[in-house]
Amino acid sequence: MANGRVVRTADRTIGSRQLAALLPAEVLARPGYRALADAVRTLILDGRIGLHVRLPAERELAEAVGASRATVTGAYDLLRESGYVRSRRGSGTWTELPEGHAPVGTHMLGGAGGYSADGEPGIDLAIAAMGAPEGSLTDALAWAAPRLPRLARNPGYLPFGLPDLRTAIADRFTRRGLPTRPEQILVTAGAQQAFALVVSLLCRAGDRVVTENPTYANALDALRHARLRTGSLAVSDAGWDMEIAESTLRQTVPRLAYVIPDFHNPTGALMPPEQRLRLLAATRRTGTWLVVDETIADIALDVPAPPPLASLAPRGGADHVVTIGSLSKTHWGGLRVGWVRATAKMIAELTSVRVAADMTGSVLDQLVALPLLADLDRSLPARLEQLRARREALVAALRRHTPEWSWQLPPGGLSLWVDLGEPVSSALAERAAAAGVNIGRGARFGVDPGTFEHRLRIPYTLPPDRLEEAVRLLATAFHDGVPLPPSVERPHWVA
């Protein structure tokens, strides 16, 4: 399928017109065999073409892209040599991954950043999250240990979540300005599971959904795996254009809209209150479910933490809003505790979907989460101060090593959305990986293929010395060997 949608792997094949619709416009305009091979490889790595899917015959693809058969033959040869496809006489050409490559998404979850060419441990900038605060888990485990035996007398199946934790999450929403009852909370194994459950309940294959563009890469993966038609609401350095967003919602009438209004991932933008009101009204008019991701809402570095978006709706006007969050960014990603806040009726329906998937979450994780959540207002300021220092260290390193790059300093969140000034993000990410720096290239965050090739998302979640080394290695890769496309001239940039 086109427009950023994943090809259905269940079909086990992709037609020539389908593949042509996924290719970037510049490849179709000047179809060279290397550019064609690179584009198909990117589609495989991004998950837009599934694994073990049969590609079109050479003659059919040549006609679809307006190239010679020799061009397509050369592209397929390159893909075979690099391990991205395999061919068998009589059965066609099938997609696969080279030895040592992980499926889409998993490269962002390696935890160690891989290794450089000389075998030294790498630096992981693919994940925008910090380690647990010093001593917090030890203290929480000590609090939970004497309380666990009482819970262990029961079977341990709590599909809605630990009752005390549901109450604590509801109370926090209420204190933030959105009155919430415990029966409006479902505890999940992180915000990603929360989002996947919401999509599974509300959407069917082929439904139209919209997300911001760029947006959180793993949310895009979830939408593609659900085989949904994805449209976009643009987010630039200046933020959201709400007139275009309202027009998009009015014209497409999507089933679901997914937004990150609080320190948006990856741009760091913060949606103003008046735009939140317009978004609430627009989605209500079109009958669109509005899924608000608050995972980063507490990471407010230069401004007060915003209230829940749903709290701005007039009484009874936010029943179409579903809010998801987690402790992954404020505490630790290894503690798999997230939640959904919605109407009590939807929570009951979501729990039925959840039971079919994993029956219940970890009671031990939820018990450990209780003191962490209760202590959040006291512990968070030190966490934010540490992030401010690391953001300052990253900015200083970028100014020192890559003065030609540019960015907007976000008022919160965990990363910079850096403009390289050249469409070389994927090539730079590959060269950086060879040097031991794992980083999220811009295309991973785009709804449409080939977009944001001039961007990198660089988190400031590592210690300053690691950020300094990472930027130094990125700068070396950028200055000493990232090839430019033949048609692109190097522009002059001022940071």
Side-chain angles (χ1 to χ4, degrees):
M1 298 181 185
N3 299 324
R5 299 191 299 278
V6 69
V7 173
R8 293 173 56 182
T9 55
D11 292 345
R12 304 276 300 186
T13 187
I14 176 174
S16 58
R17 291 184 179 179
Q18 284 179 295
L19 179 51
L22 289 170
L23 296 172
E26 59 269 23
V27 173
L28 297 175
R30 300 179 60 181
Y33 76 99
R34 288 189 182 276
L36 180 58
D38 287 344
V40 173
R41 180 188 61 176
T42 298
L43 292 172
I44 295 171
L45 287 173
D46 280 352
R48 299 177 192 272
I49 298 178
L51 300 179
H52 313 300
V53 170
R54 185 169 62 185
L55 295 178
E58 294 173 1
R59 186 183 303 279
E60 294 174 0
L61 184 58
E63 293 177 356
V65 301
S68 68
R69 183 173 179 179
T71 296
V72 177
T73 300
Y76 279 13
D77 285 344
L78 280 181
L79 291 167
R80 273 189 291 269
E81 292 170 7
S82 56
Y84 287 93
V85 303
R86 57 178 171 82
S87 298
R88 288 202 307 262
R89 185 179 298 276
S91 66
T93 300
W94 299 75
T95 61
E96 63 179 14
L97 286 178
E99 190 72 27
H101 279 59
V104 61
T106 57
H107 69 286
M108 300 182 71
L109 301 173
Y115 291 86
S116 64
D118 57 6
E120 293 298 315
I123 301 173
D124 197 345
L125 289 177
I127 300 174
M130 299 175 71
E134 189 70 28
S136 63
L137 290 179
T138 302
D139 294 343
L141 284 166
W143 181 92
R147 293 165 172 81
L148 183 60
R150 177 178 60 83
L151 291 171
R153 298 189 191 106
N154 299 312
Y157 291 97
L158 299 170
F160 285 92
L162 190 67
D164 288 350
L165 183 57
R166 296 178 75 197
T167 298
I169 295 169
D171 289 347
R172 181 165 178 80
F173 271 111
T174 300
R175 290 195 303 273
R176 294 176 58 219
L178 181 60
T180 303
R181 304 184 308 276
E183 56 265 34
Q184 292 180 267
I185 299 296
L186 169 65
V187 180
T188 62
Q192 184 68 14
Q193 186 193 51
F195 181 60
L197 289 173
V198 171
V199 169
S200 178
L201 175 67
L202 298 180
C203 301
R204 296 293 178 266
D207 281 351
R208 186 178 295 279
V209 300
V210 296
T211 75
E212 293 149 327
N213 191 31
T215 191
Y216 179 49
N218 289 328
L220 283 175
D221 289 341
L223 296 174
R224 290 165 183 155
H225 291 163
R227 300 185 303 188
L228 302 175
R229 295 183 294 161
T230 309
S232 61
L233 309 173
V235 182
S236 67
D237 286 337
W240 292 259
D241 187 323
M242 198 50 60
E243 287 189 7
I244 293 179
E246 289 169 330
S247 175
T248 299
L249 289 165
R250 185 170 58 251
Q251 293 174 17
T252 61
V253 192
R255 175 70 174 165
L256 179 150
Y258 169 75
V259 296
I260 312 172
D262 308 312
F263 316 120
H264 173 262
N265 185 1
T267 69
L270 179 63
M271 185 181 287
E274 62 274 14
Q275 292 191 352
R276 295 171 185 244
L277 288 170
R278 292 174 67 177
L279 181 61
L280 281 166
T283 50
R284 190 165 184 83
R285 283 195 300 270
T286 57
T288 299
W289 290 100
L290 179 59
V291 181
V292 179
D293 188 339
E294 283 196 341
T295 307
I296 318 178
D298 286 313
I299 312 299
L301 302 180
D302 300 330
V303 295
L309 186 147
S311 68
L312 301 182
R315 185 176 181 83
D319 287 353
H320 68 299
V321 181
V322 180
T323 305
I324 62 176
S326 80
L327 291 178
S328 295
K329 307 305 183 184
T330 56
H331 287 84
W332 187 44
L335 190 68
R336 301 310 299 154
V337 174
W339 51 82
V340 182
R341 192 271 182 199
T343 64
K345 179 178 182 294
M346 173 170 281
I347 292 300
E349 294 171 346
L350 282 170
T351 304
S352 297
V353 176
R354 192 259 180 84
V355 168
D358 71 350
M359 296 183 68
T360 188
S362 166
V363 176
L364 178 57
D365 279 21
Q366 294 177 56
L367 189 60
V368 170
L370 263 173
L372 297 177
L373 190 63
D375 194 45
L376 180 58
D377 291 335
R378 187 193 65 81
S379 63
L380 189 58
R383 188 80 153 171
L384 299 182
E385 190 58 37
Q386 187 179 40
L387 279 168
R388 291 186 193 97
R390 294 183 177 189
R391 183 183 62 177
E392 184 178 344
L394 175 59
V395 167
L398 289 170
R399 286 173 176 165
R400 185 159 46 249
H401 296 291
T402 55
E404 64 270 57
W405 294 359
S406 61
W407 60 88
Q408 294 284 339
L409 194 69
L414 296 161
S415 57
L416 299 182
W417 187 231
V418 175
D419 191 331
L420 307 175
E422 304 168 3
V424 294
S425 175
S426 294
L428 176 57
E430 289 192 17
R431 290 184 59 84
V437 179
N438 191 21
I439 193 163
R441 56 197 178 88
R444 274 287 289 150
F445 303 89
V447 173
D448 300 309
T451 54
F452 303 111
E453 268 296 312
H454 61 300
R455 294 280 190 172
L456 280 182
R457 188 191 72 167
I458 308 182
Y460 38 80
T461 50
L462 296 180
D465 60 330
R466 298 292 279 169
L467 291 172
E468 171 71 23
E469 178 65 7
V471 173
R472 186 187 67 80
L473 292 171
L474 285 171
T476 300
F478 181 78
H479 293 134
D480 294 350
V482 175
L484 286 174
S487 61
V488 177
E489 295 184 2
R490 186 182 297 270
H492 298 285
W493 276 76
V494 178

